[in-house]
Amino acid sequence: MIRMGNPLLALVRLLAYLAITLPLMPVQAVAVALNARLAVTLPVFYHRLCLALMGFRVQVSGKRLAGPPVLYVSNHTSYLDVIVLGSLIPGSFVAKAEVKGWPLFGWLAQLQRTVFVIRRGTRAGDQRDSIAERLQKGGNLVLFPEGTSNDGNRTLPFKSALFAAAETMVDGHKVMVQPVSISYARLNGIPIGRGLRPLFAWYGAMDLAPHLWRVLGLGTVAISVRFHEPVRLEDFPSRKEMAAHCHRLVALGVAAANAGREMPALPPPGAGDSPPDAGSKAA
């Protein structure tokens, strides 16, 4: 059954994953300690290997802003997003502090120089400064401004407070921000509808290990990633308007990919940037 996956395939993929992950961890640790260029390029290579062994095929639309530094903002379906986006973007992620304590994945996050944040109002200033410091040093960052993962059928509102990093000055201008949409579109050539999307979405009270085991036992997965036009905070009256604009782009991109249709034409930044309703729902 598609829902259960193939246990033998899952075992083979798990062993292959460990076979490439464990030897590369000390290499990355040394690269990070030496602040070598390899600390940025090795994770991209690693994530691409992971995509191949998991049967993930990524189709990219739009043009990624090379930068660096660039603050990429994306919808968040599950931990799998890190593998997908990590294979395309040389940089690090912004994650909640709890991830740091996860077995294996917490270590991997630290080796990719993840910026861990405590999402409480009293620490907002520290979070902004940590993210800004990384951007000012020339590093790309990937931020999930929904603040949590979702069921993959819709895009939750973006928290404007998380866009404080967009105020970071780089070369006399606010840092570039590029919205990104990611959608798990097809499984073994069959469109992934609302009922099958929890195969890839990890949210709520789901346990990580059983979810990952099920994913590893699936077949070939087609994933759509769309890079939208980059913007700066200078293009908007406030962070709130910028967050609404980015949310609208990302939500429309997700909805279009989920429905298997083309992305609709959009107005320029600042025009009609109220959060979408029907546009954020999947078919």
Side-chain angles (χ1 to χ4, degrees), residues 40-121:
V40 176
T41 59
L42 182 58
V44 176
F45 171 74
Y46 167 72
H47 288 305
R48 289 177 180 174
L49 285 179
C50 291
L51 288 181
L53 73 86
M54 295 176 73
F56 285 7
R57 305 290 182 265
V58 180
Q59 181 178 6
V60 178
S61 302
K63 184 177 180 180
R64 182 181 72 84
L65 185 63
V70 179
L71 179 66
Y72 300 91
V73 294
S74 172
N75 60 300
H76 192 25
T77 301
S78 79
Y79 54 89
L80 299 171
D81 301 340
V82 173
I83 302 173
V84 175
L85 296 179
S87 73
L88 301 172
I89 300 171
S92 304
F93 291 81
V94 179
K96 59 184 180 181
E98 294 93 317
V99 173
K100 191 174 184 179
W102 291 3
L104 183 59
F105 293 111
W107 303 335
L108 292 173
Q110 293 179 64
L111 288 174
Q112 196 163 352
R113 301 185 297 177
T114 295
V115 177
F116 297 103
V117 297
I118 299 174
R119 288 171 176 165
R120 290 199 296 265

Side-chain angles (χ1 to χ4, degrees), residues 7-189:
L8 179 58
L9 178 60
L11 178 60
V12 170
R13 285 175 168 171
L14 178 60
L15 294 176
Y17 172 76
L18 294 175
I20 66 172
T21 299
L22 297 180
L24 287 178
M25 288 177 68
V27 177
Q28 177 69 3
V30 172
V32 171
L34 297 177
N35 197 28
R37 176 64 182 169
L38 185 64
V40 176
T41 59
L42 182 58
V44 176
F45 171 74
Y46 167 72
H47 288 305
R48 289 177 180 174
L49 285 179
C50 291
L51 288 181
L53 73 86
M54 295 176 73
F56 285 7
R57 305 290 182 265
V58 180
Q59 181 178 6
V60 178
S61 302
K63 184 177 180 180
R64 182 181 72 84
L65 185 63
V70 179
L71 179 66
Y72 300 91
V73 294
S74 172
N75 60 300
H76 192 25
T77 301
S78 79
Y79 54 89
L80 299 171
D81 301 340
V82 173
I83 302 173
V84 175
L85 296 179
S87 73
L88 301 172
I89 300 171
S92 304
F93 291 81
V94 179
K96 59 184 180 181
E98 294 93 317
V99 173
K100 191 174 184 179
W102 291 3
L104 183 59
F105 293 111
W107 303 335
L108 292 173
Q110 293 179 64
L111 288 174
Q112 196 163 352
R113 301 185 297 177
T114 295
V115 177
F116 297 103
V117 297
I118 299 174
R119 288 171 176 165
R120 290 199 296 265
T122 56
R123 300 295 299 274
D126 294 340
Q127 295 170 21
R128 182 189 62 240
D129 294 344
S130 297
I131 296 172
E133 181 180 1
R134 181 67 59 83
L135 292 168
Q136 288 168 343
K137 289 181 178 179
N140 293 324
L141 282 177
V142 181
L143 173 69
F144 300 116
E146 290 168 289
T148 186
S149 55
N150 64 66
D151 62 6
N153 290 307
R154 59 199 177 101
T155 303
L156 301 176
F158 284 179
K159 299 181 183 299
S160 60
L162 295 178
F163 280 78
E167 299 175 353
T168 303
M169 299 295 293
V170 177
D171 295 331
H173 295 279
K174 302 290 175 63
V175 69
M176 295 298 295
V177 177
Q178 185 164 31
V180 184
S181 300
I182 178 170
S183 172
Y184 297 82
R186 303 177 76 88
L187 174 59
N188 297 327

